[in-house]
Amino acid sequence: MTRYSLEELRQRYVIEGRPLEASLEEILRADMRAGVRSILAAIEKRRFENRSEGQRLRKMLRFETLLWNEGQEAIAGVDEAGMSPLAGPVAAAAVILKPGTRITGIDDSKKLDANAREELAIEIKEKAVSWSVAFVEVEEIDTINIYWAGILAMRRAVEGLGVTPQHLLIDAKRLKDIPQQAIIKGDAKSASIAAASILAKVSRDALMRTLDRRHPGYGFADHKGYPVRAHYAALAELGACDAHRRSFGPVREVLGLPPLPPWPSPSERASALSGRED
């Protein structure tokens, strides 16, 4: 028997999640009461989940770990948010994590709810060696098109870091002049890119809430400018505001403007990028 009641054991080792001392665990495993069995089962479940999360995080750090092992510590993950909305800027973030950094729950920002993103953003900023968020405004998007706006936002985010990165990990894009690796769906495969995707998304969402107060009626705080049914309805009723991207088809249609030529194909964009300064 232990000096703790069942309720105290449950509070300490299940609810609070404290580590269970080996000596106490030995005593509990000899106790056949149903309440003790339930507590031990809950502890085992938590251990299993922690092991699974640890394995997932090690996998999320495999790109970074290879570079860290080569002696490159300043590895920046880069990602953008807000490419497809009809309104608001494009955001991008760059994040340099310390070697071996563990941030439980970090993942592609699209897989996380708003509260989880907000909490993770705080932890990312606390644990990062350096981080930066940058925007490309609507007027710039309409001038250079959304593809180049995304590239420019990432370039600005990298340039805003307080530490010069030795290598970049980027979600399926490329910036000039810096050693890098483009990873398709990188925000689900690299912890650094996932961290950048979270900061970019959280920062852009906050800005869209500000635009919602500035331009009431469009629902920017809810849909963040994305092309959803409520946004189309608001556009039809209110017309376009200053926050809308004039280079996007649905906005041009509301304004009575002719459609723009289609974007270049991926191969044409890659060819153009190889000869263009970002």
Side-chain angles (χ1 to χ4, degrees), residues 99-113:
T101 298
R102 178 188 172 104
I103 301 176
T104 300
I106 195 167
D107 208 340
D108 173 3
S109 63
K110 297 184 290 297
K111 297 180 180 178
L112 304 168
D113 63 33

Side-chain angles (χ1 to χ4, degrees), residues 131-240:
W131 62 271
S132 170
V133 176
F135 295 94
V136 172
E137 301 299 333
V138 169
E139 296 79 11
E140 296 175 291
I141 294 171
D142 290 339
T143 299
I144 63 177
N145 86 34
I146 187 60
Y147 175 78
W148 292 113
I151 296 290
L152 178 58
M154 291 193 294
R155 170 66 71 179
R156 287 175 176 172
V158 171
E159 291 174 347
L161 289 168
V163 175
T164 301
Q166 297 167 285
H167 197 98
L168 304 181
L169 298 174
I170 306 181
D171 191 353
K173 289 185 174 65
R174 191 172 74 84
L175 300 180
K176 289 176 70 68
D177 305 326
I178 304 175
Q180 63 203 262
Q181 183 175 0
I183 304 169
I184 296 173
K185 297 185 178 178
D187 46 9
K189 299 176 182 178
S190 158
S192 298
I193 298 177
S197 78
I198 290 167
L199 293 194
K201 173 66 173 167
V202 168
S203 299
R204 187 181 185 279
D205 285 357
L207 193 148
M208 294 307 295
R209 289 192 292 271
T210 298
L211 288 180
D212 183 71
R213 294 189 292 272
R214 193 175 299 165
H215 303 285
Y218 291 98
F220 291 150
D222 297 322
H223 53 64
K224 309 303 186 295
Y226 281 86
V228 299
R229 184 178 301 175
H231 194 178
Y232 283 127
L235 266 174
E237 179 181 352
L238 302 174

Side-chain angles (χ1 to χ4, degrees), residues 43-89:
I43 292 171
E44 283 298 324
K45 180 181 179 184
R46 183 177 73 244
R47 286 172 174 170
F48 174 79
E49 290 172 347
N50 287 343
R51 286 194 297 271
S52 298
E53 177 64 2
Q55 292 170 357
R56 189 188 72 85
L57 291 176
R58 283 192 293 275
K59 188 175 181 181
M60 289 278 287
L61 284 168
R62 65 191 184 278
F63 297 102
E64 290 86 345
T65 299
L66 285 172
L67 293 163
W68 289 333
N69 290 341
E70 293 174 358
Q72 301 187 68
E73 294 192 357
I75 311 303
V78 188
D79 200 12
E80 29 74 350
M83 295 288 282
S84 60
L86 306 178

Side-chain angles (χ1 to χ4, degrees), residues 4-24:
Y4 299 120
S5 68
L6 288 179
E7 189 55 42
E8 288 172 327
L9 289 169
R10 186 173 290 105
Q11 177 65 36
R12 289 172 64 88
Y13 301 108
V14 178
I15 297 175
E16 296 178 15
R18 299 188 192 186
L20 179 61
E21 301 89 339
S23 57
L24 178 55

